[in-house]
Amino acid sequence: MKQGLVFLFLLVFLLASVALGLFTGGMQLPPGEILRALFHSGSDGIAGTLVWELRLPRIFMAGIVGAALAACGVVFQAILRNPLAEPYTLGVSGGGSLGAVIAILLGISGFPMVLICFAGCCLSIGTVLGAASLKGFSNSMLILAGIIMSFLFSSVVMFIFAVASSREVHSSILWLMGSFSAPPAGSVKMLLMILPVMLCLPFFSRDLNLLCLGEDESYHLGLDAKRAKTYLLLGASLITGVCVALSGIIAFVGLVIPHAVRGMTGADHHTLVPCSMLAGGGFLILSDTLSQIIIRPLELPVGVITGMAGGLFFVIYLLKARPAEVS
Amino acid sequence: MDLLRVQHITSGYERRPVIRDITFTVPFRGIMGIIGPNGAGKTTLFRTIGRVLKPMDGKILYRGRDIAGIPRREFARKVAVIPQFRSAPPPFTVEEFVSLGRYPHRGRLSPFTREDRGIIAENLDLLGLKDFSDRKVNALSGGELQRVVLAQGLVQKPELLLMDEPTAHLDITHKIRVLDLVGSLSKQAGLTVLIILHDLNLAGAYCDRVLIMKGGEVHSSGTPDSVLTQETIEEAYHTPVRVGKDPLTAKPHIYFLPQAGTAMDAAGE
């Protein structure tokens, strides 16, 4: 009952964020015109282009990426049984940023850059999961391998920064902070491809409920923990990889949203996963809208907003939480 | 036919065996205690029977079937494992946590039935957890958490219950309560219990059979009267003891002998 109310509340939050993103932004238009453009999809003119080619794709991307990062955060926290786990813990972001920086250096942009970046993500996923599989997928091995790969990739990135031109470094850093401002053609299609995978995650709520108790306990309750861990980690890492490739490294969504939602719904993943998706999507749409209007007509990288909001929330959460919940 | 037959099991970690050539049988019903010094391989044995560890050699038969060939969910409907006291669990409510024990009985997508709800409520009641059902498990005391974990195992409706030191962190009230409950379940509901205990007197008081492990092997096994003797205990634990009879129950009672130099150590036991 209470969990149903939380779901409804978050649904309203998501819809409100969508509405806000639709009616405000870098360019200001009267709400009437936006409404007209929305319900007459064929209409030309500035409002039509703005709504159908800029704002709606952007809202869609921010929503899906936010939902995906939050859901993956839940998955990683459950499997690694670590409250500090997030989608980037296994080093996906390191590989992704190396791919992106190499693409920028080679002067590759648009969708090919997305693909190179995704290749980087897959490289780090493969290395980390491969290394961990040698040690029976133990959590400490996964986390250590992820951290080491992140360091390795970021030192290569820093090496490239040291020798690259300042213009390239600047555009790389902007990319690293995450943004939805210029999604290359094909992005929406790529997101549509991970959408089914993401929508499958709620069906693994039982596996997550058991895995978050521990590996032995999962076996005792009839779940092949090693197999479940493998396919969930692989799925969540690939989803994260697509998000990183499309929008850069958006900080904190995958860490903070799961904690915030868990505070409202409790630990049962049957409600935690879908509620985190709603909250993550709404939060990222809201942050993206703020990033467009705070220093209008310029635009902030959305990662700056999520990092600040997320960091602030996390401090409050840590101060308020009882020790048992932080542990 | 016995409920469980452990045959020549060798098992351990990363190709290093901890237990070697373990063979014993667990008959239907009753409580069988496993005792032995630290590092004897008791928990490794449990993790092998509970199919967390794959044995390097030998096999385990459950009602004559090799457990390696039983689907995990089916196995979890027959055998429940209460692991050693764990660190802070995720913030499930007591009721949510206990109901995880019904998962082996329901498919991935089938919601809990009225039967499941009934079994959960019944066991919450049995363990005196009814008033706790909405509390978060990570905010419970050690004794409360132990009862919640036991309730989770009981809603699995197992035939065989493995308990790894369920009384380790409990005060005497809760120790006796948990063991009394387990004893009555084994007598009335026909549950078979395999239990690791450190307290030799509790083992003597509650177990129908006792198995002593030492250095990864079975040292001796049999009825408490035949196994809990001064000779075997001193041999297994390298600690001098005296064994008497409990005046009320006539079960073996072990007395420790604090010695001049080691009085503090012995008192710590």
Side-chain angles (χ1 to χ4, degrees), chain A:
Chain A
M1 186 61 216
K2 183 194 153 213
Q3 290 163 336
L5 283 178
V6 172
F7 186 86
L8 264 182
F9 165 72
L10 290 172
L11 190 65
V12 171
F13 169 65
L14 175 69
L15 293 176
S17 303
V18 169
L20 192 73
L22 197 59
F23 287 105
T24 61
M27 190 194 283
Q28 278 171 301
L29 280 181
E33 262 181 66
I34 288 173
L35 271 183
R36 207 170 315 124
L38 192 62
F39 290 110
H40 304 86
S41 57
S43 72
D44 297 332
I46 297 174
T49 316
L50 184 79
V51 168
W52 287 98
E53 281 169 36
L54 293 174
R55 283 195 183 160
L56 281 179
R58 196 166 171 162
I59 289 170
F60 177 75
M61 274 191 69
I64 300 294
V65 168
L69 287 177
C72 291
V74 171
V75 171
F76 281 106
Q77 284 172 10
I79 292 182
L80 299 176
R81 304 184 59 225
N82 188 319
L84 288 178
E86 53 151 352
Y88 307 143
T89 301
L90 295 193
V92 180
S93 55
S97 46
L98 180 63
V101 170
I102 287 176
I104 290 171
L105 212 64
L106 296 175
I108 297 169
S109 61
F111 200 62
M113 174 180 164
V114 170
L115 292 180
I116 293 176
C117 181
F118 185 62
C121 295
C122 291
L123 176 70
S124 53
I125 296 167
T127 321
V128 171
L129 292 187
S133 74
L134 297 178
K135 291 281 175 191
F137 274 101
S138 81
N139 286 348
S140 48
M141 188 62 194
L142 279 165
I143 293 175
L144 277 177
I147 290 174
I148 291 167
M149 285 312 284
S150 296
F151 273 116
L152 215 62
F153 281 122
S154 73
S155 32
V156 177
V157 167
M158 279 193 276
F159 166 75
I160 293 176
F161 279 1
V163 297
S165 74
S166 61
R167 196 179 50 80
E168 286 159 349
V169 172
H170 186 246
S171 56
S172 303
I173 288 179
L174 273 184
W175 181 88
L176 287 179
M177 285 191 281
S179 170
F180 295 104
S181 61
S187 306
V188 171
K189 266 192 206 133
M190 198 161 169
L191 268 186
L192 284 176
M193 266 158 46
I194 61 160
L195 198 60
V197 185
M198 191 178 96
L199 292 179
C200 280
L201 286 181
F203 296 109
F204 290 92
S205 299
R206 274 194 186 185
D207 307 44
L208 292 171
N209 274 349
L210 295 180
L211 284 170
C212 73
L213 298 181
E215 216 165 288
D216 284 21
E217 286 78 358
S218 305
Y219 280 121
H220 298 154
L221 290 167
L223 177 70
D224 189 338
K226 211 155 280 173
R227 209 171 69 193
K229 260 172 108 165
T230 313
Y231 55 65
L232 280 167
L233 283 177
L234 196 64
S237 298
L238 287 175
I239 294 174
T240 309
V242 171
C243 293
V244 167
L246 288 175
S247 55
I249 299 162
I250 294 171
F252 266 119
V253 178
L255 176 65
V256 167
I257 297 293
H259 280 290
V261 174
R262 201 178 285 118
M264 293 188 271
T265 64
D268 187 356
H269 288 82
H270 290 98
T271 41
L272 182 56
V273 174
C275 285
S276 293
M277 286 184 180
L278 292 179
F283 176 69
L284 201 52
I285 292 170
L286 188 65
S287 302
D288 185 47
T289 309
L290 286 177
S291 78
Q292 296 171 57
I293 58 177
I294 284 184
I295 53 166
R296 203 156 41 192
L298 291 178
E299 202 174 292
L300 281 169
V302 67
V304 174
I305 309 274
T306 58
M308 284 180 185
L312 204 65
F313 166 83
F314 217 59
V315 170
I316 297 170
Y317 170 80
L318 284 180
L319 291 179
K320 267 186 65 182
R322 280 168 300 168
E325 285 171 14
V326 180
S327 65

